[in-house]
């Protein structure tokens, strides 16, 4: 049976219309390779490849994408500033000093390792964004239940738990508004924030218990967990579009690795060292 995603419009990108499991299968081998490479060229190629596929096939705004990926770039760049000072040569001897500032010495081997490590983490993050930015959590859990055999008791319980977060956020806004009406000051000092958290804790805890009881009663009224199998309002299956995307992504990933190997830019894999 083909997947019927009635809530997906024609304006959504290709990635949004795919089965979440197929996107996970597509990026997993590439992420496995990235965890083994030691050169900077392979992760740099996958950064460009992953970002391009996410923006084009996901029909995302490049500005919005860069806003999300910006902190990841900063995280990767931090390795470039740390590793050169702490990493020596792989043989255990002191490597050549690239630059020095008083007692601090920037080592050449540390600079290479820092660049490779930072780019590798950035590449893994960019590939993760391909999945995260185009997949709803509930859709992913439903696909795991239907396609990968995850017990529906676990999957649908996790869906119910994820729905608590936005409701608790709404509860916080309601409690804050109630305290404001009563004339409680809403300042931003650390002491006031701690005091405000203590005032919010009890009503939030009570509301959470009440909502959990209602959810349990609703699930029990629908005979949740009474049978080994259950029907699904929205079905997910692997379609020809999913297979095409997986083959496309795998083919280009292999092409990137083989091209770098042919150009002798593919470093030694850590599993072979």
């Amino acid at each position: 049976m083909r997947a019927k995603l009635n809530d997906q419009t024609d304006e959504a990108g290709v990635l949004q219309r795919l089965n979440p499991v197929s996107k996970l299968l597509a990026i997993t081998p590439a992420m496995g390779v990235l965890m083994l490479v030691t050169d900077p060229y392979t992760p740099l190629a996958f950064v460009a490849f992953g970002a391009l596929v996410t923006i084009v096939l996901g029909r995302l705004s490049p500005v919005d994408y860069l806003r999300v990926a910006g902190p990841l770039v900063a995280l990767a760049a931090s390795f470039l500033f740390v590793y050169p000072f702490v990493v020596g040569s792989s043989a255990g001897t002191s490597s050549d000093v690239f630059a020095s500032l008083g007692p601090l010495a920037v080592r050449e081997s540390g600079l290479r390792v820092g660049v490779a490590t930072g780019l590798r983490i950035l590449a893994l993050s960019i590939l993760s964004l391909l999945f995260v930015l185009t997949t709803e959590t509930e859709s992913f859990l439903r696909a795991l239940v239907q396609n990968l055999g995850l017990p529906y008791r676990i999957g649908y319980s996790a869906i119910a738990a994820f729905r608590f977060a936005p409701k608790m956020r709404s509860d916080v806004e309601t409690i804050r508004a109630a305290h404001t009406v009563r004339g409680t000051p809403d300042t931003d000092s650390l002491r006031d924030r701690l005091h405000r958290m203590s005032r919010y804790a009890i009503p939030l805890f009570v509301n959470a218990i009440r909502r959990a009881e209602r959810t349990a009663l609703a699930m029990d009224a629908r005979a949740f967990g009474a049978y080994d199998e259950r029907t699904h309002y929205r079905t997910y299956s692997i379609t020809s579009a999913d297979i095409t995307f997986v083959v496309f992504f795998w083919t280009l990933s292999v092409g990137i690795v083989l091209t770098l190997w042919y150009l002798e830019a593919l470093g030694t894999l850590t599993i072979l060292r």
Side-chain angles (χ1 to χ4, degrees), residues 100-123:
S100 61
L101 179 61
L104 299 178
V106 178
R107 302 186 179 279
E108 183 180 355
S109 60
L111 191 62
R112 291 196 304 268
V113 173
V115 171
T117 303
L119 288 175
R120 181 164 56 180
I121 292 177
L122 179 60

Side-chain angles (χ1 to χ4, degrees), residues 6 11 19 57 61 116 141 182-183 215 232 244 258 272:
N6 298 326
E11 296 180 356
N19 189 316
L57 297 185
S61 168
L141 291 172
R182 292 177 175 84
T215 302
H232 304 280
T244 301
L258 292 180
L272 301 178

Side-chain angles (χ1 to χ4, degrees), residues 72-82 118:
L72 301 177
V73 176
L75 175 64
S78 65
F79 286 87
L80 180 61
F81 293 100
V82 175

Side-chain angles (χ1 to χ4, degrees), residues 54-83:
T54 305
I55 293 175
V56 174
L57 297 185
R59 298 187 67 177
L60 302 177
S61 168
V63 176
D64 294 336
Y65 183 82
L66 290 176
R67 187 179 296 115
V68 176
L72 301 177
V73 176
L75 175 64
S78 65
F79 286 87
L80 180 61
F81 293 100
V82 175
Y83 268 61

Side-chain angles (χ1 to χ4, degrees), residues 21-36:
V21 172
S22 66
K23 288 181 281 188
L24 186 64
L25 292 176
I27 65 175
T28 298
M31 296 181 74
V33 172
L34 288 171
M35 288 188 289
L36 300 177

Side-chain angles (χ1 to χ4, degrees), residues 4 10 14 19 44 59 69 72 111 131 136 167 172 180-181 209 230 237 242 270 273:
K4 297 180 180 179
D10 294 336
V14 174
N19 189 316
L44 186 60
R59 298 187 67 177
L72 301 177
L111 191 62
F131 179 82
E136 296 181 354
K167 293 180 179 179
V172 171
T180 302
V181 170
I209 293 177
R230 63 167 290 130
S237 61
D242 296 307
T270 54
R273 295 183 66 182

Side-chain angles (χ1 to χ4, degrees), residues 167-190:
K167 293 180 179 179
M168 291 191 67
R169 188 182 302 112
S170 177
D171 289 342
V172 171
E173 296 298 330
T174 302
I175 296 171
R176 179 182 292 116
H179 281 270
T180 302
V181 170
R182 292 177 175 84
T184 304
D186 193 8
T187 55
D188 292 332
S189 65
L190 179 59

Side-chain angles (χ1 to χ4, degrees), residues 1-266:
M1 182 183 297
R2 295 176 64 85
K4 297 180 180 179
L5 306 182
N6 298 326
D7 58 341
Q8 296 285 0
T9 64
D10 294 336
E11 296 180 356
V14 174
L15 295 178
Q16 286 85 341
R17 295 194 294 267
L18 293 176
N19 189 316
V21 172
S22 66
K23 288 181 281 188
L24 186 64
L25 292 176
I27 65 175
T28 298
M31 296 181 74
V33 172
L34 288 171
M35 288 188 289
L36 300 177
V37 297
T38 56
D39 65 277
Y41 306 105
T42 304
L44 186 60
F46 276 99
V47 166
F49 173 53
L52 184 62
V53 170
T54 305
I55 293 175
V56 174
L57 297 185
R59 298 187 67 177
L60 302 177
S61 168
V63 176
D64 294 336
Y65 183 82
L66 290 176
R67 187 179 296 115
V68 176
L72 301 177
V73 176
L75 175 64
S78 65
F79 286 87
L80 180 61
F81 293 100
V82 175
Y83 268 61
F85 298 102
V86 298
V87 177
S89 65
S90 58
T93 60
S94 179
S95 61
D96 296 335
V97 177
F98 182 80
S100 61
L101 179 61
L104 299 178
V106 178
R107 302 186 179 279
E108 183 180 355
S109 60
L111 191 62
R112 291 196 304 268
V113 173
V115 171
T117 303
L119 288 175
R120 181 164 56 180
I121 292 177
L122 179 60
L124 291 171
S125 302
I126 292 298
L127 290 182
S128 299
L129 287 182
L130 184 150
F131 179 82
V132 172
L133 295 180
T134 62
T135 307
E136 296 181 354
T137 303
E138 293 187 7
S139 299
F140 176 53
L141 291 172
R142 291 192 181 99
L144 288 180
V145 171
Q146 298 179 35
N147 301 140
L148 295 185
L150 178 71
Y152 76 87
R153 296 175 179 85
I154 298 177
Y156 285 90
S157 298
I159 291 176
F162 275 110
R163 290 181 176 179
F164 273 71
K167 293 180 179 179
M168 291 191 67
R169 188 182 302 112
S170 177
D171 289 342
V172 171
E173 296 298 330
T174 302
I175 296 171
R176 179 182 292 116
H179 281 270
T180 302
V181 170
R182 292 177 175 84
T184 304
D186 193 8
T187 55
D188 292 332
S189 65
L190 179 59
R191 180 180 180 181
D192 291 335
R193 287 184 179 181
L194 294 176
H195 184 55
R196 189 162 56 240
M197 290 175 58
S198 65
R199 296 198 312 267
Y200 291 180
I202 294 179
L204 279 176
F205 184 67
V206 172
N207 286 340
I209 293 177
R210 185 183 297 118
R211 186 169 289 114
E213 290 178 349
R214 292 175 179 175
T215 302
L217 289 174
M219 296 172 72
D220 189 51
R222 291 165 175 79
F224 181 80
Y227 304 97
D228 294 334
E229 300 292 337
R230 63 167 290 130
T231 58
H232 304 280
Y233 170 73
R234 183 178 297 138
T235 58
Y236 292 81
S237 61
I238 303 298
T239 66
S240 58
D242 296 307
I243 297 175
T244 301
F245 174 73
V246 172
V247 173
F248 161 77
F249 201 92
W250 285 359
T251 301
L252 290 186
S253 298
V254 172
I256 291 174
V257 174
L258 292 180
T259 301
L260 292 173
W261 175 76
Y262 178 78
L263 297 175
E264 298 183 353
L266 184 66

